[in-house]
Amino acid sequence: MKPVRIVPAATLVLMRERVDGPPELLMVERAAAMSFAGGALVFPGGRIDPGDHALAAALGSASDESAARIAAIRETVEEAGVPIGMRIAADAVPELRTALHAGMPFAEALNRADAALDLDTLVPFARWCPDHSERVFDTRFFLARADAGLPEPDPDGSESTRAFWRSARAVLDAADAGRHSVIYPTRRNLERLAPFARFEEAAAHALRYPVRTITPWVELREGGDHLCIPDDLGYPVTSERLDSALRAS
């Protein structure tokens, strides 16, 4: 049996309020060829790089939490072209994104764009670490508000093939109808966010619960195996039949 490789990662759940309906979340569709969650709808995010830790240290906060916030911000710009958690001129965003895609360190790209990070705009929401594959992503989820004036999301064409805004309920309904693939952690987080009409409500809810690492387990319930999570972390649905749960490879 090959040893499990733990990969630290970070994800940004970006919420945009509307006057004529429920708030929408920024979703990206993973390229079908991707080894992890290929073809699935997810929130933008990715692995935490050494450069994220270096930038956190340079900002005076050499913690895993700060590095994760930086990674979530960086990945959202890279995957969807949406700048969150930073102060930057609108016309500087495309150049920043191009620099990141070319491999420029985030710190250098920010400096060239005359941009600065504001890590406090991200609200800790959850942490998931499934253990069913040889490569496990230990992912911190952060919640953030999408203010007016942001550019429309634009997929990078490599890791993500689509990027768009949808309400949590609309994504769940589309998944139930077979129009989209949604992996187990994403589904549970969409269910958790679906009841809220405003960002402030979702943020207050998130702050009421500790961010404790969630590692789903299999348990026999109601005549069949279920994939389960703890029932004290704010999730309205805490189990799903194993034969219907979509788990990323």
Side-chain angles (χ1 to χ4, degrees):
M1 184 175 181
K2 293 183 179 179
V4 173
R5 180 162 62 97
I6 305 294
V7 180
T11 287
L12 187 58
V13 182
L14 189 55
M15 180 177 286
R16 180 175 76 172
E17 294 180 0
R18 298 189 299 160
V19 297
D20 57 348
E24 296 176 321
L25 307 174
L26 178 60
M27 307 298 301
V28 297
E29 184 174 34
R30 301 269 294 172
M34 298 296 292
S35 61
F36 177 81
L41 294 186
V42 297
F43 307 111
R47 66 183 63 212
I48 301 170
D49 294 337
D52 300 320
H53 286 279
L55 181 51
L59 294 175
S61 180
S63 67
D64 291 343
E65 170 82 6
S66 293
R69 290 172 184 250
I70 291 169
I73 293 168
R74 174 181 52 76
E75 288 283 348
T76 302
V77 173
E78 290 183 7
E79 287 191 26
V82 178
I84 290 294
M86 66 175 68
R87 297 182 292 278
I88 186 173
D91 58 2
V93 176
E95 182 180 352
L96 171 66
R97 190 184 191 195
T98 298
L100 291 174
H101 284 166
M104 182 179 293
F106 194 20
E108 183 179 347
L110 287 169
N111 185 59
R112 287 196 179 189
D114 194 25
L117 296 180
D118 185 1
L119 302 184
D120 291 337
T121 60
L122 274 59
V123 178
F125 182 68
R127 184 174 180 178
W128 285 69
C129 188
D131 66 352
H132 62 274
S133 64
E134 295 174 359
R135 183 181 58 171
V136 173
F137 287 92
D138 179 3
T139 307
R140 299 173 191 254
F141 289 75
F142 298 96
L143 185 65
R145 183 204 303 272
D147 291 324
L150 288 175
E152 284 300 306
D154 176 38
D156 63 13
S158 57
E159 290 190 15
S160 59
T161 57
R162 297 176 62 208
F164 54 88
W165 296 97
R166 289 288 189 280
S167 71
R169 178 47 53 191
V171 176
L172 289 167
D173 289 346
D176 291 341
R179 296 194 299 273
H180 292 305
S181 296
V182 175
I183 59 176
Y184 186 86
T186 305
R187 176 177 283 274
R188 301 287 85 87
N189 283 319
L190 288 167
E191 292 163 347
R192 185 177 173 187
L193 290 165
F196 301 112
R198 296 179 57 82
F199 171 80
E200 287 84 356
E201 296 174 4
H205 164 85
L207 293 173
R208 283 200 300 270
Y209 293 91
V211 175
R212 194 169 75 235
T213 302
I214 297 172
T215 300
W217 69 91
V218 177
E219 183 176 311
L220 181 62
R221 295 184 181 182
E222 300 172 2
D225 285 337
H226 282 63
L227 193 60
C228 308
I229 62 173
D231 60 6
D232 60 347
L233 296 179
Y235 288 87
V237 179
T238 59
S239 72
E240 180 180 348
R241 283 191 64 95
L242 185 61
D243 55 12
S244 69
L246 180 60
R247 307 168 82 179
S249 58

